[in-house]
Amino acid sequence: MRLPIEDNDRPPEVNVVPLIDVIFAILTFFIMTSLTLSRTEGLPVNLPIAGTGTNQDRTKLVITIDAKGTIALNRQPIDLDKIVSKIQSQMTKEQQTIVVINADEKVEHGRVVAIMDRVRQIPGAKLAIATKK
């Protein structure tokens, strides 16, 4: 007569399936979080919406105009009369520099056009306007 083998006599096992599930959940969390983080050079403004906007990957300087009309170049407040000389001093000679205008949607159109006109006078500077999709 044989005694039945009990389940308690089996060697212990480590079930790694729940561990893999937890690791993938944590990895997904970090990936999704990193996608929402973005580094911006401008000050926080409410950008206008444009469906045809594209990303620019070149060297760029950011001119921010907030809702009050205050101008900043790479987060440093600046006067409109000094903007051309400041941009020229920060431009790189090797490649074209993109100057991004990051204007609040409530800023007067004339204020934005005045800045665009001054930036277009700078040789080697390409002009871009920041929008939301």
Side-chain angles (χ1 to χ4, degrees):
M1 187 182 229
R2 290 182 117 168
L3 294 173
I5 298 176
E6 293 184 18
D7 287 338
N8 293 340
D9 292 338
R10 289 188 317 175
E13 297 176 357
V14 176
N15 191 357
V16 294
V17 174
L19 178 65
I20 293 171
D21 290 342
V22 169
I23 296 221
F24 277 122
I26 292 171
L27 180 64
T28 303
F29 171 76
F30 283 121
I31 290 172
M32 297 304 288
T33 304
S34 68
L35 291 176
T36 61
L37 299 175
S38 63
R39 183 174 177 257
T40 58
E41 296 294 329
L43 298 171
V45 293
N46 293 324
L47 296 173
I49 298 173
T52 59
T54 58
N55 290 333
Q56 302 293 326
D57 294 331
R58 297 184 193 162
T59 305
K60 58 184 174 181
L61 300 172
V62 179
I63 298 173
T64 305
I65 312 165
D66 65 8
K68 298 175 187 174
T70 307
I71 303 170
L73 178 63
N74 287 345
R75 295 185 176 227
Q76 302 298 319
I78 191 167
D79 189 33
L80 181 61
D81 298 329
K82 298 177 183 177
I83 202 160
V84 172
S85 61
K86 194 71 166 177
I87 290 173
Q88 286 175 333
S89 68
Q90 293 186 11
M91 286 179 58
T92 59
K93 304 251 189 247
E94 296 83 35
Q95 60 181 355
Q96 290 181 339
T97 301
I98 295 178
V99 179
V100 179
I101 296 180
N102 194 11
D104 193 280
E105 63 185 355
K106 296 179 182 171
V107 174
E108 293 179 9
H109 182 69
R111 186 95 166 141
V112 176
V113 170
I115 292 173
M116 289 172 63
D117 185 47
R118 294 188 187 217
V119 171
R120 290 189 64 191
Q121 295 172 5
I122 302 170
K126 294 286 186 178
L127 188 62
I129 298 176
T131 60
K132 286 189 289 190
K133 281 195 171 189

